[in-house]
């Protein structure tokens, strides 16, 4: 659990970050928390980010998928979309996360799909729909990220975190 799979990025995004010497897999990964929870990002663009997470290991005492685990998946996917929207000159920082839990999940994988509701100069908002393996909606989340200018050293901090 937790190994990062190869993420499908648009070629222009790969080229843009490669020119800066930035490792896209590290920059747009689920991070240490997402890795511990088994989050896998399988598709990533500013228009759509898709990721999965196992229910096993991410449950509350009743054996259901923990609401906080759904929030981690939602924030990860929405943040990746926001970063891709902001481009290499911006850093996305989550400022608001809202999750509505519709049904429980006891096993298998859940899949989150993040799509933009708003993509501006200073903020980006994504809706994230998390579904179970039967396609039933487990959670609907909305994440707003502030897009701030990259400061010197931001890329080095990302590299050092790996």
């Amino acid at each position: 659990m937790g190994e990062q799979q190869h993420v499908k990025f648009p070629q222009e995004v790969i080229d843009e970050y490669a020119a800066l010497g930035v490792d896209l897999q590290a920059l747009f990964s689920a991070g240490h928390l997402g890795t511990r929870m088994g989050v896998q990002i399988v598709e990533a663009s500013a228009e759509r980010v898709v990721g999965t997470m196992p229910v096993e290991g991410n449950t509350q005492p009743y054996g259901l998928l923990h609401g906080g685990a759904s929030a981690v998946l939602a924030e990860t996917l929405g943040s990746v979309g926001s970063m891709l929207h902001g481009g290499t000159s911006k850093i996305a920082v989550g400022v608001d996360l809202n999750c509505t839990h519709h049904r429980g999940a006891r096993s298998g994988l859940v899949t989150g799909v993040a799509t933009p509701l708003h993509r501006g100069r200073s903020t980006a908002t994504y809706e994230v729909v998390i579904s179970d393996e039967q396609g039933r909606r487990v959670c609907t989340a909305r994440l707003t990220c502030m897009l701030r200018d990259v400061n010197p050293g931001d890329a080095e901090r990302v590299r050092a975190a790996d």
Side-chain angles (χ1 to χ4, degrees), residues 67-127:
S70 294
V72 167
L73 179 59
E75 184 150 358
T76 299
L77 300 179
S79 293
V80 168
S82 295
M83 287 289 293
L84 288 168
H85 164 65
T88 57
S89 66
K90 299 286 186 179
I91 297 287
V93 179
V95 294
D96 182 65
L97 177 62
N98 169 313
C99 299
T100 301
H101 306 286
H102 305 292
R103 72 178 324 116
R106 291 188 178 277
S107 63
L109 284 177
V110 290
T111 300
V113 179
T115 54
L117 297 175
H118 167 76
R119 291 186 293 172
R121 288 180 292 129
S122 60
T123 63
T125 301
Y126 279 76
E127 177 182 60

Side-chain angles (χ1 to χ4, degrees), residues 1-7 25-26 28-42 51-54 109:
M1 183 193 317
E3 285 185 24
Q4 193 66 21
Q5 296 176 350
H6 180 69
V7 180
Q25 296 301 331
F28 297 113
S29 74
H32 294 294
L33 176 60
T35 298
R36 281 195 305 274
M37 297 180 72
V39 173
Q40 300 288 320
I41 301 170
V42 296
T52 63
M53 182 179 65
L109 284 177

